[in-house]
Amino acid sequence: LYCSYTLLSEKLTQMMEWASKRSVIRMNGDKFRRFVKAPPRNYSVVIMFTALQPQRQCGVCRQADEEFQVLANSWRYSSAFTNKVFFASVDFDEGSDVFQMLSMNSAPTFLHFPSKGKPRRSDTYELQVRGFAAEQLARWVADRTDVQIRVIRPPNYAGPLLLGFLLAVIGGLAYLRRHNLEFLFNKNVWAFSALCFVLIMTSGQMWNHIRGPPYAHKNPSTGQVSYIHGSSQAQFVAETHIVLLFNAAITMGMVLLCEAATSDMDIGKRKIMCVAGIGLVMLFFSWLLSIFRAKYHGYPYSFLMG
């Protein structure tokens, strides 16, 4: 019993020393087996299994690592920090034996190793459903460890600077044309601005901002890249861009049809606009419906494409 207590004390001391230097402890196979797998252990370890080396070409891993660092830093530098839970990472090129030991074939993956017993199914983070935003990871950690982490992000001045630049440009244009502000009352300008805003919102950009999903998913076994998520409960960033493009094309087709019916141009040009509008609506609506069918399995309707 004394030896077990001494060993646990040494492990805790070592883990605290590593955590004081880096919020996310880097582990290889030996460290993992000694400090995570082997008893005794009265602390939880949340590990991100990743592949950050450039030759692995895992862009999602880099994005997930940034969010994981935000979460770990928020915990390490909070007043509530204790030795109850630690954050660590295992890179494939430094701990491939750990990947083999756990039969793991994808990255990034987040696992929670509880202080007692073996990991359960709920100790594997549902990355494809919840995304890898630090706030979502913090909720999962709270569910598994009862440790509440208030995520504190470093200040990001890009948004305010961009907004300030945009306002300065608008103010400069208004000043230069201060004697002729009719463009502010142009219906087409306001209609185009409103349409862009609607397309951005309906494509799922707000969901991306809240959940922080990966841009796409690359299967580490086959190398195949998926841009459309197979579930109706999640999406990729690339998927929202595709949906935005398709909705914009359908809208353009409808605008062309309206112009063909109401414009004063000659009949030949109006016929071309009509055919182009019908083509855009039919083609891109069919593709959009195909995406919907792929995400909502069993949906019975299709158009042009199965």
Side-chain angles (χ1 to χ4, degrees):
L1 182 61
Y2 175 77
C3 292
S4 177
Y5 177 80
T6 302
L7 180 58
L8 176 59
S9 178
E10 291 176 353
K11 291 171 70 172
L12 271 174
T13 301
Q14 183 64 76
M15 292 290 285
M16 288 294 289
E17 181 182 345
W18 284 333
S20 66
K21 297 177 181 178
R22 300 185 59 157
S23 299
V24 177
I25 302 170
R26 295 181 62 175
M27 287 191 170
N28 53 24
D30 294 335
K31 288 182 179 179
F32 176 81
R33 281 184 287 270
R34 181 182 175 188
F35 292 93
V36 179
K37 293 290 289 183
R41 179 164 53 84
N42 65 350
Y43 52 86
S44 295
V45 185
V46 178
I47 301 182
M48 179 182 68
F49 295 86
T50 186
L52 294 174
Q53 296 302 317
Q55 65 268 22
R56 300 298 174 187
Q57 298 181 348
C58 183
V60 178
C61 293
R62 184 67 59 185
Q63 300 173 40
D65 179 67
E66 292 175 357
E67 292 296 306
F68 195 61
Q69 293 285 346
V70 169
L71 175 64
N73 286 331
S74 299
W75 169 239
R76 174 63 186 84
Y77 297 106
S78 72
S79 58
F81 174 72
T82 65
N83 57 14
K84 185 177 180 180
V85 59
F86 295 96
F87 292 89
S89 66
V90 176
D91 193 279
F92 180 79
D93 291 280
E94 298 176 0
S96 58
D97 52 337
V98 181
F99 278 73
Q100 295 175 2
M101 181 194 312
L102 301 175
S103 300
M104 193 174 299
N105 57 9
S106 64
T109 299
F110 298 93
L111 290 182
H112 167 247
F113 293 86
S115 57
K116 295 180 181 179
K118 296 181 179 180
R120 302 177 181 179
R121 183 176 181 180
S122 54
D123 287 308
T124 300
Y125 182 71
E126 296 177 325
L127 179 65
Q128 303 299 336
V129 175
R130 305 176 71 169
F132 50 70
E135 291 77 7
Q136 292 294 329
L137 289 168
R139 295 189 186 99
W140 171 67
V141 171
D143 291 339
R144 307 312 309 151
T145 66
D146 293 327
V147 171
Q148 302 291 334
I149 302 176
R150 180 170 173 251
V151 175
I152 301 176
R153 295 181 176 275
N156 184 357
Y157 301 106
L161 287 174
L162 182 60
L163 179 60
F165 176 76
L166 181 61
L167 291 176
V169 170
I170 295 175
L173 291 175
Y175 178 77
L176 292 175
R177 300 192 59 178
R178 60 187 180 277
H179 301 300
N180 183 12
L181 297 178
E182 292 182 2
F183 71 98
L184 292 177
F185 304 96
N186 190 308
K187 293 189 295 183
N188 291 333
V189 172
W190 288 105
F192 180 77
S193 301
L195 182 59
C196 290
F197 179 78
V198 170
L199 289 174
I200 290 172
M201 291 296 104
T202 56
S203 66
Q205 295 296 335
M206 188 56 68
W207 194 94
N208 292 343
H209 180 73
I210 296 172
R211 295 294 187 90
Y215 186 81
H217 175 69
K218 183 177 182 180
N219 191 315
S221 301
T222 63
Q224 183 179 3
V225 179
S226 299
Y227 298 102
I228 306 295
H229 198 285
S231 169
S232 61
Q233 303 298 316
Q235 66 184 22
F236 298 133
V237 174
E239 182 178 332
T240 64
H241 295 165
I242 294 172
V243 171
L244 173 62
L245 175 64
F246 287 3
N247 283 332
I250 294 171
T251 304
M252 177 60 70
M254 296 300 296
V255 170
L256 288 175
L257 288 174
C258 290
E259 286 295 316
T262 60
S263 69
D264 298 329
M265 292 186 294
D266 62 81
I267 190 67
K269 291 182 179 180
R270 292 170 65 182
K271 285 183 178 179
I272 294 175
M273 292 174 64
C274 184
V275 172
I278 293 174
L280 284 172
V281 171
M282 293 180 64
L283 180 63
F284 285 94
F285 180 77
S286 178
W287 280 340
L288 194 63
L289 193 59
S290 297
I291 294 176
F292 187 84
R293 282 169 53 85
K295 295 180 70 66
Y296 290 84
H297 305 287
Y299 186 75
Y301 304 109
S302 62
F303 181 65
L304 293 184
M305 305 174 188

